[in-house]
Amino acid sequence: MCGRRAVLPFVLLLGGTMHGTLVSQEQVVGPLIRGRVTDHVSALPIAGAIVALEGSGFSAMTDTAGNYNLINLRPGPAILLVRMIGYAPARVPLVVPPSGILHRNIALARNALELAEIIVTADPAGRARGELGTASVIEHDAIVNQTAASIAGILELVPGIPLAAPGLEEVQQIQLRTAPVSSGGITAGPSGADIAAFGTTIILDGVPLSNNANLQNTGPRGELRPPSSSGGGIDLRRIPASTIERVEVIRGVPSARYGDLTHGVIVVDTRAGRVSPAATVRYDARTTEASLVGGWRLTPDHTATAHFDVARTRKNPGITDADVLRLTGQLAHRAAFGLQQDQPATRAQLEFDTRLDFFRVVEDNPEQPDVLPGFATRASDFGFRLSERARFHPSPNSAFVLTLAMDHTRQRSFVQSFRLRGALPFTDRLEEGLAIGRYVGGEYLSRVDLEGDPWLVYGRGEWVGAPRGLGGLDHLLRAGFELRREWNEGAGYQFDIEFPPQVRFNGVQGFDRPRRFDAVPPLATSALYLTDRISGQPLLGMPLQVQVGARVDVLHRGTTWISGYRDLVWQPRMNVELGPRWWLRIRAGVGKTAKYPSLGSLFPPPQYFDVVNVNWFVTDPAERLAVLTTSISDPTNPDLGLSATWKREVGAEMSLGRRGGSIAVVLFDDRTTGAVGFRSVTGFLTRARYALSDSSEGTGVPPTIIQPPAYTDTVPILIDEPTNNLTVSSKGWEVSASLPEIPKTQTRLDIQAAFIETRVSRTDVVFGSGTRFSEFQLNGAVPRAPYWEGATGTGQRLTATFRLVHHQPLLGLVITGTMQFILRESRRDIGGTDTLSFAGYVTRAGELVPVPTSDRTAPQFADLRQPRGGLLIEPRGTPDDWLLSLQVSKTLPLGGRFSFYAFNALDREGRFARAGTTPRPFPRMRFGLDIAMPLRSVLGAWMDP
């Protein structure tokens, strides 16, 4: 973090670096790709097809004879992307030679399974548009070959992500480059997985999705927690796989145009424009899904697209009635003015892209009276988003883009359960002060309702320019700003105070009280960014690309964008790619990213302390007397700010020959500091003790207290305050390889492997288990209690995934076998647990007194020499395991497609699980099928877009 004065010099220096030293030179023409695009069936030329080198900005349009030319290219592995309305897109891996002409003819088919070149995985040589950082690009032909009910299943093509059966059983989130970490006794707040998911931003059709205003949780004290993605990332179940056209997963250093992240960017493009209408049905023993999609040209300047999807997953069919229901839809309208319809490659002067999305996800776990009486949960999220993107192209090399969006979600959830507690003194005061309480106890049904209505208003303005010839280099400049405002209008966290969801009450720590969400102030943020992608061959003719930029994210102090700033983080970022050989690319990146805290962390609920002054509990309930003093603490931390991550990576991509195939290796090291957790702030309360009059039993009335108090004492307390006290570091390596196809068998092997080591540590002190500190609170004869320094939770995961793809384009057949091995998954904690590991002690007045290491064996500290618990000292993890999944996809008459899949087909049912380990990592086997059918073949030619 830095002040404003550090930002302006960097921006000026950046601008001078990019423009001040460049001298115009004649542009050098590099190698050339030439070829012809034809129809797969008729072999006739296709005019107007767009041929582009993925991620480079180089593109061409085929002429009336189907010919195309791509010039001024950079040598190295690349993906040739060919698109034409009415045909399946073709992605052709190739290697651009250092000089000369590469001939590549391409045949397009109506169905991707009939293409000679089909990529059903994330290709190692894929490129995110405008990005140099490590990314996995997943195109539509790979998406339709994934047995995925949501985008979570598509992301399994990313290295290091474990495979899961298609379905909607639980909340789905993504944790990029993060291994499971034991969080017991470490974080006192979000886990490493929650931090990673919260720090992964999802861009849907150019607009970020946000979980910052999701308040569907019960805080650090809550004992009953509803199913929710609060505190983590977006619930991925809301994005069905059937609506997605393309996914870019940027795991490395993203360009400066992406913000509000620490762990990565997932860019999702849904289907829009002219799309052949089609229906898809998927079925297995648990999940049923149906979807419709279609896009039509309304007029020469306007197209419309519609998509609807409905899915249902039964969690435990035949055992419970628990299920998840999802309904999603999208209406899109695209207008392009100044575009010649007979010349698709001509860029429109003015474009408007309007989208209306809606979704509903209902997770219902009804009561099972015979198994767990009283327990039930339900979560219902309904949301919509209206977005508009306008693009104005004043010249072929520049554009202005304005993006506006409004996102709203209606969240309703509850959780109920029978609770059991002894007869405890109770008060329902909502204000501080002394009150006569009453006794409640026994078994009761507790229910918590959470009603949230988060809103997001988003705006971004961006200028894009591509000046050529400066210093003999090509540039792609982007400058922009972002504005966000997020708030929650929900009724909040509600329950009957007399039947609270907590049963832990020790006479000091009070029960939570209901809280309204609409009383929480809005969150206002803004950002500025500038980035440039520079391309050329300035070093001995070797292709060089540099992406450099900076971004400033501002968290405002007030609720508007003109209020002062509470915190800001400037974020320099740079990626460099060099091609020393035509078959080799070397990449390196370093940069800083930042993540805004959530509304729940910025404005936590007040914490109640109900100190018992009198606890006169006798046999006759009419004679009992409870006197309690309620104190309210505000745990809001005015210094809470953004968390920041330094991301570093180096890697190389290598072609495996002119027959195709490539391999990519990446080493990465990410370190997030200031992630939001909770710290225990010490304090004390004064407790008054009263003498009683008429305290003999049998009177039929309670005694009375005698004023003034007979004496007072102090009670130490801990206040759970959100703070930037967590550090998350992940390092490891990733390998992705696509081996050349074996021509005789038309078989290709794709390999992915990843090793990730994650550490989550806290930088403050801890006070041991809650039970131990509670005993110290209640016993006034104990003058002090030990405290310990924070610990570190560690986790390691090593996975390897092999996909063997057999393709018969003439038969329209693809057989995919997937084997994933989890070769290592372990967790342990690092921290002292012996009797000398304490760092100091806390007094009854809440004062922290450190004790030097050399003095901890002294006799006066004998009462502090207690073993520390709550840490996972011995390594623990899942057993090494593997699964095999199979999928067979076949074209059907009339242009349809049929797929059969067997997830975990050789389920070993945990027979080889070791003693002392957690359950096996993979779910049980599942069989299913899906059928996709173009509607034009069923309903007639009028359905053709």
Side-chain angles (χ1 to χ4, degrees):
M1 302 182 185
C2 71
R4 290 175 173 173
R5 286 179 290 181
V7 177
L8 183 58
F10 176 82
V11 175
L12 294 176
L13 178 61
L14 177 65
T17 302
M18 291 188 296
H19 297 288
T21 62
L22 298 179
V23 180
S24 296
Q25 297 179 1
E26 183 178 354
Q27 192 170 359
V28 179
V29 177
L32 180 147
I33 299 178
R34 175 177 295 167
R36 191 165 183 251
V37 178
T38 59
D39 185 279
H40 168 70
V41 176
S42 66
L44 294 176
I46 298 176
I50 305 300
V51 184
L53 206 63
E54 189 175 71
S56 69
F58 294 100
S59 63
M61 181 183 62
T62 58
D63 58 20
T64 55
N67 297 319
Y68 71 91
N69 290 281
L70 288 173
I71 63 174
N72 195 33
L73 306 177
R74 286 175 288 275
I79 298 292
L80 200 64
L81 180 61
V82 186
R83 294 179 180 272
M84 181 61 187
I85 296 173
Y87 290 89
R91 299 180 74 239
V92 182
L94 49 79
V95 178
V96 179
S99 61
I101 301 175
L102 174 64
H103 292 273
R104 183 55 62 97
N105 295 329
I106 303 161
L108 296 185
R110 296 282 178 174
N111 194 307
L113 299 183
E114 298 173 353
L115 294 173
E117 300 278 358
I118 181 172
I119 299 176
V120 297
T121 62
D123 190 81
R127 276 289 178 269
R129 286 169 294 200
E131 299 292 317
L132 283 184
T134 299
S136 295
V137 178
I138 307 169
E139 291 284 355
H140 185 67
D141 54 353
I143 293 171
V144 297
N145 278 283
Q146 278 291 102
T147 56
S150 71
I151 188 178
I154 298 173
L155 298 178
E156 293 173 0
L157 295 176
V158 176
I161 303 299
L163 303 182
L168 308 171
E169 284 88 345
E170 306 295 340
V171 171
Q172 297 175 351
Q173 298 179 319
I174 185 69
Q175 299 93 39
L176 296 176
R177 289 182 172 175
T178 304
V181 176
S182 171
S183 59
I186 301 296
T187 64
S191 66
D194 290 333
I195 295 171
F198 189 60
T200 300
T201 190
I202 298 177
I203 311 293
L204 182 61
D205 295 321
V207 179
L209 301 180
S210 175
N211 223 31
N212 294 335
N214 183 356
L215 300 176
Q216 299 291 103
N217 61 26
T218 55
R221 293 180 170 186
E223 296 177 25
L224 292 181
R225 301 183 183 274
S228 170
S229 62
S230 180
I234 294 292
D235 187 354
L236 301 179
R237 294 179 297 182
R238 64 179 285 188
I239 308 176
S242 59
T243 189
I244 300 175
E245 177 70 25
R246 174 186 170 100
V247 178
E248 300 174 356
V249 185
I250 306 170
R251 306 185 303 283
V253 181
S255 64
R257 68 192 304 256
Y258 294 115
D260 194 28
L261 66 99
T262 53
H263 281 72
V265 184
I266 300 175
V267 182
V268 183
D269 293 334
T270 59
R271 310 195 72 184
R274 295 174 63 182
V275 178
S276 297
T280 303
V281 177
R282 175 178 291 119
Y283 174 81
D284 63 35
R286 294 196 177 191
T287 300
T288 304
E289 181 182 8
S291 64
L292 293 171
V293 63
W296 297 265
R297 185 176 68 184
L298 305 178
T299 69
D301 297 326
H302 299 266
T303 59
T305 310
H307 177 272
F308 300 96
D309 182 279
V310 60
R312 179 189 180 218
T313 292
R314 295 180 297 168
K315 290 189 171 184
N316 295 291
I319 301 176
T320 70
D321 294 329
D323 67 354
V324 179
L325 178 67
R326 180 191 67 197
L327 177 66
T328 66
Q330 183 186 82
L331 299 175
H333 172 261
R334 179 169 292 171
F337 303 101
L339 177 65
Q340 305 257 339
Q341 291 300 320
D342 57 344
Q343 296 180 357
T346 303
R347 178 168 292 175
Q349 293 184 357
L350 186 61
E351 300 173 75
F352 294 95
D353 198 344
T354 307
R355 296 176 189 256
L356 175 62
D357 303 82
F358 71 88
F359 75 93
R360 187 179 185 191
V361 178
V362 180
E363 181 176 343
D364 188 19
N365 299 285
E367 180 184 0
Q368 305 175 63
D370 298 334
V371 181
L372 196 60
F375 180 80
T377 66
R378 180 180 172 87
S380 175
D381 290 355
F382 171 76
F384 72 87
R385 186 180 66 159
L386 179 64
S387 64
E388 177 68 51
R389 282 195 292 175
R391 305 176 185 85
F392 173 60
H393 303 275
S395 69
N397 294 327
S398 65
F400 294 95
V401 184
L402 177 64
T403 303
L404 300 173
M406 180 179 65
D407 196 322
H408 172 58
T409 306
R410 182 181 183 272
Q411 299 175 317
R412 299 292 183 267
S413 61
F414 81 84
V415 56
Q416 70 176 29
S417 179
F418 278 115
R419 315 295 281 167
L420 179 64
R421 66 182 179 194
L424 299 175
F426 170 79
T427 177
D428 57 2
R429 284 187 67 94
L430 298 177
E431 297 178 351
E432 294 188 330
L434 190 71
I436 301 298
R438 58 186 183 275
Y439 289 88
V440 295
E443 187 180 54
Y444 65 92
L445 184 64
S446 175
R447 171 166 171 154
V448 178
D449 288 273
L450 288 95
E451 298 184 6
D453 294 290
W455 288 83
L456 165 66
V457 173
Y458 175 83
R460 179 176 66 194
E462 184 178 73
W463 172 81
V464 184
R468 293 178 178 270
L470 297 178
L473 305 173
D474 295 331
H475 295 259
L476 181 62
L477 283 165
R478 293 180 184 269
F481 67 90
E482 285 185 342
L483 300 175
R484 299 189 190 197
R485 195 169 190 266
E486 303 177 60
W487 68 96
N488 197 310
E489 293 182 344
Y493 174 52
Q494 303 171 352
F495 59 90
D496 188 333
I497 301 179
E498 190 166 346
F499 304 107
Q502 300 164 273
V503 296
R504 293 194 295 263
F505 176 63
N506 62 0
V508 177
Q509 192 88 357
F511 296 116
D512 282 348
R513 308 294 200 269
R515 182 202 189 202
R516 296 193 64 87
F517 294 159
D518 53 16
V520 177
L523 170 67
T525 61
S526 60
L528 295 171
Y529 61 87
L530 175 64
T531 182
D532 188 12
R533 179 168 174 171
I534 308 169
S535 304
Q537 299 181 8
L539 302 175
L540 302 176
M542 292 187 295
L544 174 68
Q545 295 190 73
V546 178
Q547 190 170 59
V548 61
R551 180 185 179 93
V552 180
D553 283 287
V554 181
L555 173 63
H556 292 277
R557 186 174 300 279
T559 61
T560 64
W561 299 302
I562 61 173
S563 58
Y565 73 92
R566 173 173 178 158
D567 190 18
L568 64 83
V569 178
W570 78 285
Q571 305 152 57
R573 304 179 193 176
M574 183 172 67
N575 286 283
V576 178
E577 179 180 284
L578 180 65
R581 296 289 186 270
W582 64 268
W583 47 268
L584 177 65
R585 289 192 295 204
I586 300 175
R587 295 185 289 108
V590 61
K592 190 176 185 180
T593 62
K595 179 75 180 74
Y596 298 119
S598 68
L599 273 179
S601 298
L602 289 169
F603 304 100
Q607 295 179 5
Y608 291 80
F609 297 91
D610 298 323
V611 175
V612 177
N613 307 103
V614 174
N615 185 11
W616 180 257
F617 188 82
V618 294
T619 304
D620 187 356
E623 298 179 11
R624 298 171 184 172
L625 176 64
V627 180
L628 301 95
T629 300
T630 297
S631 299
I632 304 175
S633 174
D634 182 6
T636 300
N637 181 3
D639 297 324
L640 186 71
L642 288 83
S643 53
T645 298
W646 274 103
K647 301 174 73 69
R648 294 171 289 269
E649 68 171 16
V650 294
E653 295 175 7
M654 183 176 61
S655 169
L656 298 181
R658 297 185 183 275
R659 285 175 46 207
S662 60
I663 183 170
V665 180
V666 180
L667 305 177
F668 63 89
D669 186 357
D670 299 343
R671 181 179 176 85
T672 302
T673 57
V676 178
F678 290 93
R679 69 180 176 190
S680 298
V681 179
T682 58
F684 72 93
L685 300 174
T686 301
R687 174 171 54 188
R689 294 292 196 176
Y690 295 94
L692 302 177
S693 63
D694 304 324
S695 58
S696 59
E697 295 188 47
T699 62
V701 295
T704 58
I705 61 176
I706 300 175
Q707 295 281 6
Y711 68 95
T712 60
D713 60 3
T714 59
V715 178
I717 61 172
L718 298 178
I719 302 170
D720 298 318
E721 180 183 272
T723 187
N724 302 101
N725 68 333
L726 300 181
T727 298
V728 183
S729 60
S730 288
K731 61 182 180 180
W733 50 263
E734 298 169 344
V735 175
S736 299
S738 180
L739 303 183
E741 183 179 80
I742 303 173
K744 292 184 178 181
T745 61
Q746 296 180 295
T747 302
R748 189 182 73 250
L749 177 63
D750 293 324
I751 304 172
Q752 292 179 335
F755 173 75
I756 305 170
E757 182 180 50
T758 299
R759 291 174 172 247
V760 180
S761 59
R762 58 184 300 177
T763 57
D764 53 2
V765 299
V766 294
F767 298 89
S769 67
T771 302
R772 178 178 292 178
F773 191 84
S774 176
E775 294 172 353
F776 170 58
Q777 284 182 312
L778 298 177
N779 191 350
V782 179
R784 61 188 181 181
Y787 69 82
W788 292 264
E789 295 177 344
T792 298
T794 67
Q796 292 182 343
R797 172 182 280 168
L798 173 60
T799 61
T801 305
F802 300 84
R803 290 183 174 89
L804 191 66
V805 182
H806 174 67
H807 183 204
Q808 291 283 351
L810 296 179
L811 300 178
L813 176 69
V814 174
I815 302 175
T816 306
T818 302
M819 291 193 69
Q820 184 173 79
F821 297 84
I822 293 186
L823 304 174
R824 178 176 178 82
E825 184 171 304
S826 65
R827 296 174 293 278
R828 69 185 296 261
D829 298 335
I830 301 175
T833 57
D834 59 272
T835 57
L836 296 179
S837 62
F838 69 93
Y841 61 87
V842 56
T843 68
R844 298 203 65 81
E847 181 184 3
L848 298 180
V849 181
V851 176
T853 303
S854 58
D855 296 342
R856 294 174 188 173
T857 58
Q860 64 266 33
F861 300 121
D863 59 315
L864 302 178
R865 293 196 284 270
Q866 305 174 16
R868 175 184 179 179
L871 297 183
L872 182 64
I873 303 302
E874 296 297 326
R876 181 172 298 178
T878 59
D880 299 344
D881 207 349
W882 57 269
L883 67 73
L884 170 65
S885 295
L886 298 173
Q887 180 175 346
V888 179
S889 298
K890 176 70 175 67
T891 56
L892 296 176
L894 306 178
R897 176 192 307 228
F898 171 85
S899 294
F900 170 81
Y901 58 88
F903 174 83
N904 200 3
L906 302 179
D907 191 349
R908 300 184 299 161
E909 300 181 356
R911 291 192 299 267
F912 305 106
R914 297 192 301 266
T917 61
T918 56
R920 53 202 296 271
F922 298 117
R924 294 187 180 276
M925 71 174 69
R926 190 173 304 179
F927 299 91
L929 56 88
D930 63 72
I931 300 174
M933 182 63 66
L935 296 182
R936 69 174 183 272
S937 59
V938 178
L939 302 179
W942 67 274
M943 292 295 296
D944 198 320

